[in-house]
Structures are given as C-alpha cells and as structure tokens.
Amino acid sequence: SQKFILGFLLLSLLLSGGVCLVGYQSIQAKYMDFYYRIALSAAQTAADLIEAETAERYLSSLTEDEDYAGAFHAMDVVKEYTGMQYLYLFYPSEEGYLYIYDARVEGEDPQDLCALGQIDAYPGTNDHLMRAFETGQPVEDILVSDSELGYVGTVFAPVLDAGGRSVALMGADVSMHEVQEELRAFLLKSLGLSVGTVFVLVFLYLVYLKRRVVDQIGKLTQSVNAYAQDSENLVYSDAQIHTGDE
C-alpha cells in the first residue's frame, strides 16, 4: 500500500541520515586530530629552533635591530614547509598576545603581519595557552576560532630555557576552511549515496511487489472473470499464479 511504502521510505531516510551524521562526526574527529598533529609539529619544531635567550632579549627591548630577522629565520622556514597560515612567537600578557616575531614567507604583505611589541586581544578565553605556558607542555587539542584573522585552528607550544622555564609561546594556526570544505563534501557525498541507495531499494521492492503480488492478483482476476463469463461450460483455466509461497 502507499502508506506502507511511504513509511518504509521515511524510515529508510531517517536511518540514512543518522548513519551520515555518525559518519560525519567520526570523520570530523579524525580530521581535527590530523590537523592538530600537523599544527603541533610545526609549533613544537619552531619552538625547539628558537633560543630562549634571544626571545627574552627582544621581549625585554621590544626593539628591532639588524639581527632581528635572522634570529627568527628558522620560523619562516618552518612556516613555509608546513603550510601554516600563521606561525608566531609571543608572550601571553594580561592584555593579550604580545608579539615577538610573526613568521613571514615570500609573497606575503608585511602589513598583514604583527610587529614586535604589538598586542592583540585574545579571541576568547586564554586558559588553554596559559596552561601551556605554566606547565611547559603543548596544548592537548586544537582551538578553533573565527576572527578577523580568519577561521583557523590553533596549537600552542612553549619555548623553554635551559632550566625548563617557559619564556614565550609559539602559536601555529592552520586554516580550517579546507577542513570544512572536505567535511561538507563528505557529508554531501554520503547523503547522496544514502538517498540513492534508499530509492534503489524502494524501486527494487516495488518491482518485486508488482511481479509477486500485483501481477499474480491480475492473473487471478482475469481467470475468475473468464470463468464467470463462461459459466455454462464450467471450465476453469489454470491461472499460473506464482507468488513464491507455493
């Protein structure tokens, strides 16, 4: 019946939607972990390449000299080869990020980079980065934020002196727009595949129903009509009905 078919179709679509949602959440978690590891690798590598004494010296003077760019060139190299959207060294002050160096690659507009001594307010809570600064350990997950700098995922790693004390933090931002596009494409493909599968199954069911039930009822009806119209001879012809339950 139509009600049964519609109910079956609705239930199938709901189940498909549920499967797609679970799959989306699973893939999203994997993507977030994947980009966390990439950003963490960039932040940790850059932090290990920077001398704590150099960071403290420029943090104390807040003045660029002829050695400034060369002292942090390793950050430029890390940014270029890891593809980070932003890679920056800063001190977590009460007012916000106190920048020491903002890594730059060829082709970037210097106006888009943060200068030594520039302070930017935190986009949200700073608990995660303060925890990294105080414990001397990188953050354990990626922080996603959407601000004037873009939609990015951020990881922080501390720059430590010889005694293991944090003197600054290295921030690595990876663009999350690519992640969202990949997740959106996955969701659309999954939904399309699920809906297509449901409609194929419904079509096959309707074909089966027609052959096993509708057509057989039609044969039976024709046979009964023929018998009624030729009742004088009382001859009943075999209708050849096959429903699969014989």
Side-chain angles (χ1 to χ4, degrees):
S1 66
Q2 292 183 346
K3 289 184 178 181
F4 174 78
I5 295 174
L6 290 175
F8 176 77
L9 181 60
L10 179 60
L11 179 60
S12 299
L13 290 175
L14 289 175
L15 289 175
S16 298
V19 171
C20 289
L21 179 60
V22 172
Y24 176 85
Q25 292 175 338
S26 176
I27 293 296
Q28 183 183 41
K30 290 181 179 180
Y31 268 121
M32 296 298 283
D33 181 67
F34 173 72
Y35 280 97
Y36 163 74
R37 293 179 184 277
I38 290 178
L40 176 63
S41 176
Q44 191 67 72
T45 300
D48 291 342
L49 292 173
I50 297 302
E51 295 184 3
E53 294 79 5
T54 301
E56 285 187 305
R57 176 161 55 88
Y58 285 105
L59 179 62
S60 175
S61 67
L62 294 181
T63 302
E64 295 186 21
D65 56 26
E66 59 183 11
D67 298 324
Y68 176 70
F72 300 105
H73 178 64
M75 289 177 57
D76 302 336
V77 175
V78 172
K79 180 181 179 180
E80 181 176 4
Y81 280 93
T82 59
M84 292 296 103
Q85 184 166 350
Y86 302 105
L87 184 67
Y88 46 96
L89 181 67
F90 70 98
Y91 179 80
S93 68
E94 294 182 359
E95 294 81 12
Y97 302 99
L98 174 55
Y99 287 95
I100 301 174
Y101 187 78
D102 196 358
R104 56 212 66 186
V105 297
E106 186 176 354
E108 285 186 330
D109 186 350
Q111 299 298 324
D112 295 335
L113 302 174
C114 295
L116 173 63
Q118 180 177 331
I119 296 179
D120 279 347
Y122 301 116
T125 176
N126 64 341
D127 294 345
H128 50 288
L129 62 89
M130 289 307 301
R131 186 162 52 251
F133 187 77
E134 292 169 358
T135 63
Q137 297 294 325
V139 295
E140 297 179 353
D141 53 12
I142 192 167
L143 174 69
V144 179
S145 61
D146 192 4
S147 65
E148 65 275 5
L149 297 179
Y151 187 51
V152 297
T154 304
V155 171
F156 299 107
V159 175
L160 306 176
D161 63 13
R165 179 179 61 91
S166 297
V167 299
L169 285 177
M170 186 70 66
D173 292 355
V174 58
S175 173
M176 299 301 290
H177 287 291
E178 182 179 352
V179 179
Q180 291 302 105
E181 289 299 322
E182 292 174 354
L183 288 173
R184 188 179 297 110
F186 168 81
L187 183 60
L188 291 175
K189 289 179 181 179
S190 299
L191 284 174
L193 180 61
S194 298
V195 172
T197 301
V198 168
F199 278 102
V200 168
L201 290 175
V202 170
F203 174 76
L204 293 176
Y205 173 75
L206 291 176
V207 171
Y208 172 83
L209 192 66
K210 181 178 182 300
R211 291 182 178 180
R212 290 297 186 180
V213 179
V214 178
D215 289 352
Q216 307 308 319
I217 291 177
K219 289 180 181 180
L220 178 61
T221 301
Q222 292 177 0
S223 179
V224 170
N225 289 337
Y227 175 78
Q229 292 171 5
D230 195 17
S231 57
E232 292 181 357
N233 296 325
L234 297 178
V235 177
Y236 176 74
S237 60
D238 187 358
Q240 298 296 319
I241 297 175
H242 302 287
T243 65
D245 296 325
E246 297 84 6

